[in-house]
Amino acid sequence: MNTQHLLYALEVARFGSYSRASQSLEIGQPTLSKAVSELEKALGITIFQRSARGVVPTEEGKEFLRLAGETLKQIRRMESLHRSGAGREALWISIPPSAYILEAVTDFLSELDPAETIDVRVREATAKEVAQDVAEGRSRLGVLRCPPARERFFQDLAAEQQLETVFLWEFDLRRTCAKSSPLLANDALPNALEVSLFEDSPIQVRDRAAAYALLRANPRLFCMAAPMSAEILAREGLGQIAVSGHRRKDFLIFPQGHRLTDLERRWVDRLFAAKNKLAFTN
């Protein structure tokens, strides 16, 4: 048994399907099935049973998967301690695609002494991916964004993953499009198409720069985004208009008991400063 087999079993449980898990892991389905069968043989238990809905864990399987998840989390946290050693201070963060959060990163970096030896890693991801990154040690801090109706779900998820949450702020997403777009004039959306980052919409992308380029190129495209500063809007050639029904909350998350390093605290200070700048001017 090795940690790769633990990951395989957890992915099968997450998707409830060998085929979907194999696609996520980018391995063949026969390879995945064989690995899980070998794991079951080594443990002497049945982890999964097939059903009309796919595969479901047995009672023994549920306990195994819980322990496997905890084991992988601890291993990844230990690995993160090793990778960030050698005298380098680390800032590893996972965030939603949001201009004000990235502005906090650029402001933070501009204040650093070039002589400082640092390791900065920034990943834009969905809310579930942000929580998973922080829980498993790929990131040490995260910003989790959710609609108020989903807050309880994500608070429960954070508690389950042994994460602490600190409320950052609450705001309405804004329709964002080219500054010359007629979509900035009113609430109507005649012949308009939505561009989204990570979410369902007619046009989906995973890169914020690509989304902005699409918006600038076509005045009939829009996306729903957090408020942006006037400086960012001018630089990107975009405009925003407030619309109702798109409330969001942002939370800073980190592992329970984690004490912020000096580098992390400096970035968090810039994050709250960027948030306050928008909250008081919009």
Side-chain angles (χ1 to χ4, degrees):
M1 179 172 63
N2 58 46
T3 56
Q4 195 67 36
H5 286 177
L6 300 184
L7 175 62
Y8 287 173
L10 288 168
E11 284 295 279
V12 172
R14 183 161 76 98
F15 287 101
S17 163
Y18 278 95
S19 61
R20 292 172 60 195
S22 65
Q23 292 172 9
S24 172
L25 293 164
E26 298 183 343
I27 63 173
Q29 185 174 336
T31 300
L32 177 58
S33 297
K34 181 181 178 182
V36 174
S37 294
E38 291 176 349
L39 182 59
E40 290 178 321
K41 184 177 179 180
L43 294 169
I45 66 171
T46 299
I47 301 174
F48 298 107
Q49 288 182 332
R50 294 189 179 275
S51 74
R53 297 176 298 170
V55 294
V56 295
T58 63
E59 289 303 313
E60 287 181 313
K62 290 178 183 178
E63 179 62 12
F64 165 76
L65 292 166
R66 183 186 69 80
L67 294 172
E70 290 298 321
T71 299
L72 282 182
K73 287 179 190 176
Q74 296 304 321
I75 290 173
R76 284 167 175 165
R77 286 174 180 172
M78 287 187 287
E79 289 174 344
S80 74
L81 290 175
H82 169 72
R83 290 196 300 267
S84 63
R88 293 200 299 176
E89 286 196 84
L91 176 68
W92 298 354
I93 57 177
S94 289
I95 60 176
S98 188
Y100 92 88
I101 301 175
L102 195 58
E103 184 176 24
V105 177
T106 57
D107 288 348
F108 161 78
L109 292 175
S110 69
E111 296 172 355
L112 291 178
D113 185 334
E116 290 188 78
T117 304
I118 62 171
D119 179 8
V120 176
R121 306 180 189 182
V122 182
R123 173 170 130 90
E124 292 188 337
T126 66
K128 284 186 179 181
E129 289 171 340
V130 168
Q132 189 173 20
D133 283 352
V134 178
E136 297 180 355
R138 285 187 292 272
S139 293
R140 294 181 178 176
L141 301 177
V143 176
L144 192 155
R145 174 169 297 166
C146 65
R150 297 277 285 168
E151 179 180 353
R152 174 48 53 194
F153 169 82
F154 282 106
Q155 290 287 4
D156 290 344
L157 177 64
E160 179 183 319
Q161 300 279 14
Q162 298 182 311
L163 303 176
E164 294 186 32
T165 63
V166 175
F167 176 69
L168 190 55
W169 73 318
E170 185 174 354
F171 55 91
D172 286 313
L173 296 180
R174 299 188 172 190
R175 185 188 304 156
T176 306
C177 40
K179 62 182 179 180
S180 59
S181 172
L183 302 179
L184 293 174
N186 51 56
D187 285 346
L189 288 171
N191 302 317
L193 289 175
E194 183 176 1
V195 177
S196 75
L197 289 145
F198 311 139
E199 298 180 0
D200 289 337
S201 74
I203 303 173
Q204 299 177 40
V205 296
R206 285 191 67 95
D207 181 84
R208 190 162 37 82
Y212 290 173
L214 290 173
L215 296 178
R216 288 192 298 268
N218 189 330
R220 292 296 180 183
L221 298 182
F222 73 96
C223 72
M224 300 305 299
M228 300 180 189
S229 67
E231 294 86 353
I232 291 178
L233 290 172
R235 184 180 71 228
E236 299 293 342
L238 302 175
Q240 291 189 311
I241 182 174
V243 293
S244 60
H246 296 275
R247 200 77 173 158
R248 294 292 185 272
K249 288 186 174 182
D250 280 358
F251 296 87
L252 181 69
I253 64 171
F254 47 88
Q256 290 178 4
H258 176 66
R259 297 184 63 181
L260 297 184
T261 66
D262 177 65
L263 203 68
E264 291 169 343
R265 191 173 300 280
R266 288 155 66 185
W267 177 72
V268 170
D269 287 345
R270 296 309 309 167
L271 177 63
F272 275 88
K275 180 269 295 187
N276 290 337
K277 176 182 176 182
L278 286 174
F280 293 126
T281 58
N282 285 269

